[in-house]
């Protein structure tokens, strides 16, 4: 047994130690016929050019085959009633509570109308309304969806009230959060800032007392190890967003929500499709199977890893498509997780894949509950309501031999996140960033605390173990911690920033995110960025381009050349396919989309910086690159082109305001720091 383990690691690391890495062919043209060997069997004929393949997939946990109807593009299931709904304990049945709920509705409407009498401001009225709703949630939680939908309709808050807040959508989540949150205080102020049209000003971050937080002080001589001269290859893919319900030739110019769906027309042209969805994807749509397999076949070819594979791969989350809430279900999420992880296994070679959960890889979308919720509300299963997902993901990862059973057990118990100490000296720490994502309603419980879930304590403890063991670490998550600060919550990312400062640069060799679908980066500095300079830059987070073209982007992926001993990044190579060219590929089988090399990060930037060829693209280098951007704003336009993977639809960034804002985002590693930048230039979509 011992012998077998040793032999395996020799094989696994035989390629680490190369001193220069050759890439594959500069371009790859996918075959025009769907590679039918991708799956064992199909519900339809997979090689048709006017519909997408429909593979037959089996659920790893139940052993049951997913029904054809789950992904039938012509008849998309809505209003899933089979998933369990989780409510806090009730004091009154919904029937008995009818008058009380009607009363609450009237009270909230009256409170809102007090505006006309001059009573209070928007914030105080919003908080008062939440208090009435909380009373309902504590007495009759299952009435909350009805109350929410009625208020939503009354205030014209949305055009899809029932489908978004009803009992088969987010209603159950609202009930739990109202029951548990301090709605009159900090939690309520944040809810009324983020979800109710800015009715309250955003409260400032909580004071952070770091005294005693870390087990040991930062070592005096905390520097990164010197380059080894040996290289390894790491693939970074993100935001795949497979759309198994993509309908080729359906409306790609739909009026709202996810296009290329048979049930989502252009409201101005109900009887005629204005822009038929191309077989290989479109800017307004998620990834169809035909594009998915073209990309997965392109990866080994262009990266030069055919036959050998990568040393390892990181996937920074989001497998599932951007469906409206009432078209999603646990089963649909499980289906997509199963399909894509199996395809990764099949096409990306033998190296392990380390994956972080994305906000779309959950149901309800973006939701994940803190472990203490069940204790707080007196019903244990409120703490385990997402375990079905952590079980599915960790089982898939373990079955694919990417993580051991011990690590899988850790992921099941830690929100789908885990840590792996690789035998080569790299510790991979994944995090479930739903726990700092502003769209996760559960984060609005106990918001004054910076780490109510305990996730960041876990990260700090793992980094301490890495420091003690002389290892280096990579942190892998989905929702980025900073940039313009519009996605992450302030308190958790403020704490994360301090943790990064403590363990950079000697332990942390890289941080990796996705979520925005765009090619970006963010730098972390010492002392909470109070003195931004090359000398204070400690870590950098790489945000990978997405496979999905949604929205207005090309489809792309990246490979890092890393130092095989220090795990610092030496170069990043990015490829993409031009989505504006997909329409010409319809109705033929001669060839599919062409993937092309976009750029080498090392060659694109830093020409004016004196930097030895052996030195890594670390935070010091990236800070100097931002100084180069200040000197030469034309380079920001180059950055902006790459940000959207060279999409023909990306806007430029030529104004002084845009240039300054982007440099500010690049230097922002937390929500509070990002929010100090001028807003409005973060995205190219
Ligand atoms: C789904 O539920 C909504 C709201 O209850 C309802 O309007 C719609 O008719 C339902 N659709 C189907 C197909 O059951
Ligand atoms: C959670 O527990 C409660 C109380 O035991 C029970 O009524 C409810 O059905 C459970 N919910 C789920 C989704 O298991
Ligand atoms: C609420 O009051 C403010 C300030 O008096 C006013 O500008 C606003 O139009 C009012 N809104 C509504 C919905 O009555
Ligand atoms: C209060 O809310 C109303 C309704 O949305 C809005 O018209 C008004 O501008 C808000 N007032 C302030 C001071 O934000
Ligand atoms: C900070 O935390 C430490 C350790 O828990 C405590 O001794 C100290 O009083 C706290 N400081 C403040 C200002 O709260
Ligand atoms: C897309 O639809 C809009 C109307 O919703 C229309 O103005 C526009 O011309 C359409 N574009 C294409 C390419 O069909
Ligand atoms: C919120 O904080 C209170 C007080 O510390 C604690 O009892 C409760 O479990 C916390 N709830 C959650 C969901 O973290
Ligand atoms: C900020 O850092 C620069 C470069 O290391 C240094 O010259 C300067 O004195 C620092 N300023 C402050 C206020 O610490
Ligand atoms: C980055 O690498 C350079 C060159 O090896 C080194 O001088 C610098 O200290 C490194 N910066 C960090 C943050 O590790
Ligand atoms: C491709 O086939 C579709 C459906 O049969 C048809 O509507 C479309 O015009 C064809 N496109 C081309 C370029 O021939
Ligand atoms: C950049 O885009 C703006 C807004 O679309 C446009 O006005 C401007 O002319 C563009 N500048 C360049 C240099 O293309
Ligand atoms: C870090 O800086 C931000 C932005 O100025 C601030 O909001 C936050 O409170 C600071 N965090 C700490 C721990 O000082």
């Amino acid at each position: 047994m011992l012998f077998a383990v040793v032999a395996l690691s020799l094989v696994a690391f035989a390629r680490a130690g190369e001193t220069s890495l050759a890439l594959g062919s500069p371009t790859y043209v996918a075959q025009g016929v769907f590679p039918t060997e991708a799956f064992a069997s199909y519900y339809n004929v997979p090689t048709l050019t006017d519909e997408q393949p429909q593979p037959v997939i089996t659920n790893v946990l139940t052993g049951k085959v997913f029904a054809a109807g789950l992904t039938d593009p012509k008849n998309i299931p809505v209003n899933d009633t089979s998933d369990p709904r989780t409510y806090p304990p009730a004091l009154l049945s919904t029937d008995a509570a009818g008058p009380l709920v009607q009363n609450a509705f009237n009270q909230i409407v009256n409170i809102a109308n007090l505006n006309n009498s001059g009573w209070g401001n928007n914030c105080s009225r919003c908080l008062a309304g939440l208090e009435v709703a909380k009373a309902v949630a504590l007495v009759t939680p299952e009435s909350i969806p009805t109350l929410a939908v009625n208020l939503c309709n009354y205030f014209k808050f949305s055009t899809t009230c029932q489908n978004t807040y009803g009992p088969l959508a987010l209603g159950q989540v609202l009930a739990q959060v109202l029951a548990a949150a301090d709605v009159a205080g900090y939690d309520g102020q944040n809810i009324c800032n983020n979800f109710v049209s800015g009715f309250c000003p955003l409260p400032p971050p909580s004071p952070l007392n770091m005294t005693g937080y870390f087990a040991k002080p930062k070592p005096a001589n905390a520097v990164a190890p010197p380059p080894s001269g040996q290289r390894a290859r790491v693939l970074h893919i993100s935001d795949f967003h497979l759309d198994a319900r993509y309908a080729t030739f359906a409306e790609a110019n739909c009026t709202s929500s996810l296009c290329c769906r048979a049930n989502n027309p252009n409201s101005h042209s109900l009887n005629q499709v204005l822009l038929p969805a191309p077989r290989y994807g479109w800017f307004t749509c998620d990834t169809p199977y035909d594009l998915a397999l073209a990309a997965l076949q392109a990866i080994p070819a262009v990266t030069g890893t055919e036959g050998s594979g990568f040393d390892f791969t990181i996937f920074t989350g989001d497998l599932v498509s951007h469906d409206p809430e009432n078209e999603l279900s646990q089963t649909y999420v499980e289906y997509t997780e199963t399909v894509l992880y199996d395809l990764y296994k099949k096409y990306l070679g033998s190296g392990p894949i380390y994956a972080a959960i994305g906000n779309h890889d959950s149901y309800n979308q973006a939701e994940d509950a803190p472990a203490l919720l069940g204790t707080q509300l007196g019903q244990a299963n409120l703490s385990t309501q997402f375990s079905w997902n952590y079980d599915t993901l960790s089982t898939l990862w373990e079955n694919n031999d990417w993580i051991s059973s011990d690590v899988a057990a850790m992921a099941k118990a830690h929100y789908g996140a885990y840590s792996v100490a690789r035998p080569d000296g790299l510790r991979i720490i994944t995090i479930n960033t739903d726990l700092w994502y502003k769209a996760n309603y559960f984060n609005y419980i106990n918001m004054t605390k910076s780490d109510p879930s305990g996730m960041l304590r876990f990260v700090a403890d793992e980094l301490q173990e890495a420091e003690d063991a002389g290892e280096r670490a990579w942190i892998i998550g989905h929702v980025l911690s900073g940039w313009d600060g519009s996605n992450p919550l302030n308190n958790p990312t403020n704490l994360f920033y301090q943790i990064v400062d403590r363990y950079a640069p000697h332990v942390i060799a890289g941080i990796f995110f996705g979520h925005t679908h765009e090619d970006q980066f963010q730098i972390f500095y010492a002392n909470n960025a109070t003195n931004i300079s090359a000398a204070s830059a400690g870590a950098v987070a790489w945000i990978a381009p997405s496979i999905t073209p949604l929205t207005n982007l090309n489809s792309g992926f990246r490979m890092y050349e890393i130092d095989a001993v220090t795990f610092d990044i030496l170069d990043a190579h990015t490829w993409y396919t031009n989505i504006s060219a997909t329409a010409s590929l319809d109705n033929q089988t001669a060839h599919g989309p062409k993937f092309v090399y976009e750029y080498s990060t090392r060659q694109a930037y830093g020409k004016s910086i004196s930097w030895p060829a052996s030195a890594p693209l670390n935070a010091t280098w990236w800070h100097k690159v931002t100084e180069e951007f200040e000197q030469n704003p034309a380079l920001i336009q180059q950055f902006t082109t790459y940000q959207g993977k060279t999409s023909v639809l990306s806007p430029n960034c030529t104004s002084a305001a845009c240039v300054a804002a982007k440099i500010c985002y690049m230097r922002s590693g937390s929500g509070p720091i990002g929010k100090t930048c001028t807003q409005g230039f973060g995205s190219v979509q």
Side-chain angles (χ1 to χ4, degrees):
M1 195 60 206
L2 186 64
F3 175 77
V5 169
V6 170
L8 263 179
S9 14
L10 282 179
V11 172
F13 302 114
R15 292 178 48 254
E18 293 170 73
T19 49
S20 73
L21 299 182
L23 300 179
S25 60
T27 63
Y28 173 83
V29 180
Q31 63 189 62
V33 179
F34 184 80
T36 52
E37 71 277 8
F39 300 99
S41 62
Y42 296 84
Y43 285 118
N44 66 349
V45 179
T47 50
L48 295 173
T49 55
D50 59 353
E51 54 182 76
Q52 297 288 324
Q54 287 291 331
V56 178
I57 306 294
T58 303
N59 186 327
V60 281
L61 287 191
T62 63
K64 284 195 197 142
V65 167
F66 291 101
L70 179 68
T71 53
D72 179 358
K74 298 191 186 73
N75 191 14
I76 293 173
V78 295
N79 302 346
D80 180 283
T81 51
S82 61
D83 289 332
R85 309 286 153 181
T86 322
Y87 287 94
L91 302 178
L92 272 185
S93 74
T94 43
D95 286 348
L100 184 146
V101 177
Q102 182 59 46
N103 212 340
F105 174 86
N106 293 340
Q107 278 192 50
I108 293 172
V109 167
N110 287 340
I111 289 168
N113 286 336
L114 284 173
N115 188 25
N116 300 332
S117 73
W119 182 84
N121 57 28
N122 279 352
C123 183
S124 56
R125 282 193 302 278
C126 181
L127 298 180
L130 283 180
E131 286 201 82
V132 175
K134 181 185 178 82
V136 174
L138 289 172
V139 174
T140 170
E142 294 192 40
S143 302
I144 286 292
T146 309
L147 177 64
V149 170
N150 289 344
L151 289 167
C152 173
N153 283 324
Y154 179 87
F155 289 112
K156 299 192 168 49
F157 190 63
S158 157
T159 53
T160 59
C161 291
Q162 183 76 35
N163 289 343
T164 307
Y165 303 109
L168 301 181
L170 284 163
Q172 54 161 351
V173 177
L174 295 178
Q176 297 179 55
V177 173
L178 284 167
D182 168 20
V183 298
Y186 194 81
D187 294 345
Q189 289 163 22
N190 277 284
I191 293 170
C192 290
N193 174 267
N194 189 34
F195 297 113
V196 199
S197 325
F199 270 29
C200 288
L202 182 68
S206 301
L208 203 51
N209 179 2
M210 298 302 294
T211 307
Y213 185 83
F214 297 113
K216 297 177 184 172
K218 188 167 180 170
N221 197 12
V223 294
S228 72
Q230 299 175 9
R231 292 183 184 225
R233 291 177 176 85
V234 176
L235 176 70
H236 186 179
I237 41 177
S238 202
D239 295 83
F240 206 103
H241 293 290
L242 175 73
D243 186 0
R245 294 161 168 173
Y246 188 102
T248 307
F249 302 144
E251 183 61 81
N253 183 19
C254 67
T255 327
S256 64
S257 188
L258 185 62
C259 301
C260 305
R261 288 293 187 92
N263 65 353
N264 194 13
N266 184 305
S267 59
H268 308 291
S269 177
L270 292 176
N271 299 318
Q272 198 202 333
V273 170
L274 295 173
L275 184 62
R279 178 183 159 203
Y280 286 103
W282 196 246
F283 292 115
T284 47
C285 311
D286 273 328
T287 307
Y289 268 112
D290 280 321
L291 175 60
L293 268 293
L296 288 170
Q297 290 180 295
I299 289 169
V302 297
T303 55
T305 58
E306 272 169 321
S308 62
F310 300 92
D311 290 275
F312 60 91
T313 291
I314 57 175
F315 172 62
T316 42
D318 270 8
L319 303 155
V320 181
S321 54
H322 293 80
D323 292 48
E325 202 68 52
N326 71 323
E327 294 180 11
L328 292 167
S329 60
Q330 283 188 14
T331 317
Y332 185 63
V333 170
E334 286 164 349
Y335 167 93
T336 310
E337 290 173 346
T338 308
V339 170
L340 278 181
Y341 284 129
D342 286 355
L343 283 176
Y344 290 1
K345 176 75 180 175
K346 188 160 187 151
Y347 284 92
L348 301 180
S350 58
I353 300 181
Y354 304 112
I357 191 169
N359 60 294
H360 285 274
D361 311 332
S362 190
Y363 178 76
N364 296 104
Q365 192 266 118
E367 305 298 332
D368 272 302
L372 285 174
L373 188 61
T375 317
Q376 185 183 348
L377 292 178
Q379 188 171 289
N381 61 14
L382 297 177
S383 291
T384 53
Q385 60 188 301
F386 293 94
S387 296
W388 61 273
N389 196 28
Y390 310 144
D391 289 350
T392 303
L393 289 169
S394 51
T395 302
L396 287 164
W397 297 333
E398 185 188 344
N399 287 358
N400 282 330
D401 287 327
W402 299 333
I403 58 173
S404 67
S405 57
D406 288 353
V407 174
M410 185 194 296
K412 283 177 196 182
H414 288 82
Y415 308 103
Y418 62 84
S419 161
V420 174
R422 287 168 52 87
D424 58 3
L426 176 65
R427 187 174 292 237
I428 303 262
I429 303 166
T430 74
I431 49 181
N432 180 342
T433 56
D434 281 352
L435 298 165
W436 73 36
Y437 184 31
K438 77 165 184 194
N440 177 4
Y441 287 62
F442 288 105
N443 290 335
Y444 293 74
I445 302 168
N446 284 349
M447 260 195 134
T448 51
K449 297 181 180 169
S450 301
D451 188 22
S453 68
M455 170 179 81
L456 296 173
R457 180 76 261 166
F458 171 76
V459 172
D461 290 348
E462 288 295 326
L463 288 167
Q464 185 59 55
E465 282 192 30
E467 183 179 84
D468 291 344
E471 298 163 346
R472 301 209 83 205
W474 280 18
I475 299 170
I476 295 169
H478 175 69
V479 177
L480 69 185
S481 63
W483 188 248
D484 63 5
S486 63
N487 281 290
L489 289 171
N490 281 346
N491 286 339
T493 55
N494 190 25
L495 173 56
F496 179 69
Y497 200 95
Q498 314 313 316
I499 296 172
V500 170
D501 184 8
R502 164 65 183 82
Y503 294 98
H506 59 305
V507 177
I508 297 174
I511 304 173
F512 303 88
F513 296 124
H515 184 66
T516 60
H517 301 186
E518 299 178 21
D519 183 346
Q520 299 158 325
F521 68 92
Q522 44 171 67
I523 304 167
F524 297 78
Y525 298 87
N527 299 316
N528 201 41
T530 41
N531 185 9
I532 288 181
S533 73
S536 65
V540 64
W542 300 73
I543 296 133
S546 60
I547 298 284
T548 184
L550 197 76
T551 304
N552 294 340
L553 303 167
N554 283 331
S555 170
F557 52 85
R558 163 174 292 163
M559 181 178 77
Y560 301 109
E561 281 185 53
I562 67 164
D563 185 303
V565 176
T566 68
F567 309 100
D568 279 321
I569 291 184
L570 295 162
D571 203 355
H573 304 280
T574 307
W575 290 265
Y576 74 98
T577 189
N578 181 354
I579 291 296
S580 72
T582 55
S584 67
L585 301 173
D586 289 342
N587 308 356
Q588 54 84 36
T589 52
H591 62 87
K594 182 182 180 180
F595 284 81
V596 300
Y597 188 72
E598 189 181 35
Y599 76 111
S600 141
T601 301
R602 191 167 197 117
Q603 279 164 27
Y605 307 128
K607 290 197 178 67
S608 67
I609 304 169
S610 154
W611 204 251
S614 62
L617 306 187
N618 63 16
T620 312
W621 184 80
W622 274 113
H623 179 81
K624 287 172 184 278
V625 168
T626 63
E627 289 176 342
E628 190 176 54
F629 288 164
E630 287 176 321
Q631 297 303 314
N632 181 3
L635 275 175
I636 282 282
Q637 180 52 36
Q638 184 62 67
F639 171 87
T640 301
T641 300
Y642 294 149
Q643 199 181 338
K645 289 159 271 177
T646 313
S647 166
V648 295
L649 296 179
S650 291
N652 65 43
C653 181
T654 48
S655 70
C658 180
V659 168
K662 270 205 188 161
I663 292 171
C664 189
Y665 306 151
M666 294 166 186
R667 294 171 174 173
S668 296
S670 72
I673 294 174
K675 287 184 183 84
T676 65
C677 305
T678 303
Q679 298 292 296
F681 300 99
S683 167
V684 295
Q685 297 177 33

